[in-house]
Amino acid sequence: MPPRAAPDRLRPSQREGDEIEILTFTGGPFVQNTLLVVCEDGRTGLLIDPGAATPDALSAARDRELEIAAILLTHAHVDHVDGVAEAKAETGAPIHLHPLDRPLYDNVAEWSAFFGVPCEQPPPPDVDLEPGTNLVFGGSEFEVVFVPGHAPGHVMFVSTALPVAIVGDVIFRGSIGRTDLPKSNYGELMESIRSQILTLPAETQLYPGHGPETTVGLERGTNPFLLHLNGGRWA
Ligand SMILES: [Zn+2]
Ligand SMILES: [Zn+2]
């Protein structure tokens, strides 16, 4: 199936002047979502988890004459970084990664052979992501939140103005991130979901690394992997 650009999703403003647009480009054997965030100023773009569909995301950024201010990585699994080299070469934007995922990142060419997906070793990260800090680009602000478990240095990016979180492979619509991979930890993942994701407002839109968007409320109420967190009852 060829990579496909999802239709533009323009979210309604929560507050006067706060508006971002999140474009999803899907591709590769892992059907991974590469996100292009158009910031509040309409000119600044963020590339999040540039994977197999990176060429489509870069093309959209060129069409809109966006300046890519950052390459943000939720974690360093091969399907989320196999477009980083191309994205960096075209945009020169700084690569942001949590230091605990550096061992994965630095060996991604080996991991890619393990998964049977060829991947050029990307250039080293430029910026260490620090949980608890806020990133501001083009008038849009995101908090870096630590959500380990699927990967040891996994983070998510939570808008400080809108009910939007970019969650990587922590939670999906009706599912959760794999923890059968080396350096994954099921207990940590469930604690990350319980304490950092399910505590967000119910209307919060979650943009995962695979599959369709969802909301915190929908996952609280229907995700079978989370049922036991609520004493076996649907929320
Ligand atoms: Zn992953
Ligand atoms: Zn993934």
Side-chain angles (χ1 to χ4, degrees):
M1 190 168 53
R4 148 191 81 78
D8 293 0
R9 297 191 193 94
L10 186 59
R11 291 189 48 72
S13 293
Q14 295 287 302
R15 298 180 204 159
E16 189 85 18
D18 280 327
E19 207 169 82
I20 58 174
E21 195 176 350
I22 300 180
L23 307 175
T24 302
F25 302 89
T26 303
F30 294 96
V31 199
Q32 186 265 356
N33 294 331
T34 295
L35 303 183
L36 174 62
V37 176
V38 184
C39 297
E40 158 68 22
D41 67 2
R43 302 188 309 271
T44 303
L46 307 173
L47 268 177
I48 304 187
D49 288 357
T54 295
D56 299 318
L58 288 171
S59 167
R62 281 194 301 272
D63 288 348
R64 289 163 173 255
E65 300 181 351
L66 299 177
E67 180 171 343
I68 301 298
I71 297 167
L72 303 179
L73 304 177
T74 61
H75 67 300
H77 284 152
V78 59
D79 51 324
H80 296 251
V81 304
D82 55 355
V84 168
E86 182 182 1
K88 176 73 174 180
E90 174 160 329
T91 68
I95 301 165
H96 295 59
L97 178 69
H98 190 287
L100 286 177
D101 259 27
R102 267 308 286 273
L104 281 171
Y105 189 87
D106 291 344
N107 294 296
V108 76
E110 282 171 44
W111 284 115
S112 67
F114 176 78
F115 285 109
V117 181
C119 174
E120 182 186 345
Q121 182 62 42
D126 301 286
V127 180
D128 286 345
L129 286 171
E130 279 185 58
T133 61
N134 291 354
L135 303 170
V136 183
F137 300 103
S140 296
E141 184 172 21
F142 296 88
E143 183 183 357
V144 179
V145 178
F146 190 46
V147 280
H150 172 71
H154 202 304
V155 299
M156 64 178 180
F157 305 105
V158 182
S159 170
T160 60
L162 298 163
V164 167
I166 293 161
V167 296
D169 286 359
V170 173
I171 187 169
F172 307 108
R173 189 185 289 186
S175 188
I176 59 173
R178 288 174 64 171
T179 52
D180 59 326
L181 301 167
K183 301 184 189 295
S184 294
N185 183 299
Y186 175 78
E188 278 184 7
L189 178 72
M190 293 309 289
E191 180 57 18
S192 292
I193 294 172
R194 186 195 67 74
S195 65
Q196 302 298 330
I197 292 190
L198 298 185
T199 50
L200 293 169
E203 70 271 22
T204 307
Q205 292 270 343
L206 304 177
Y207 287 82
H210 305 266
E213 292 163 43
T214 185
T215 64
V216 168
L218 186 68
E219 298 314 312
R220 271 190 208 144
T222 63
N223 190 316
F225 294 90
L226 306 180
L227 188 57
H228 66 284
L229 294 180
N230 195 36
R233 296 186 311 276
W234 297 117

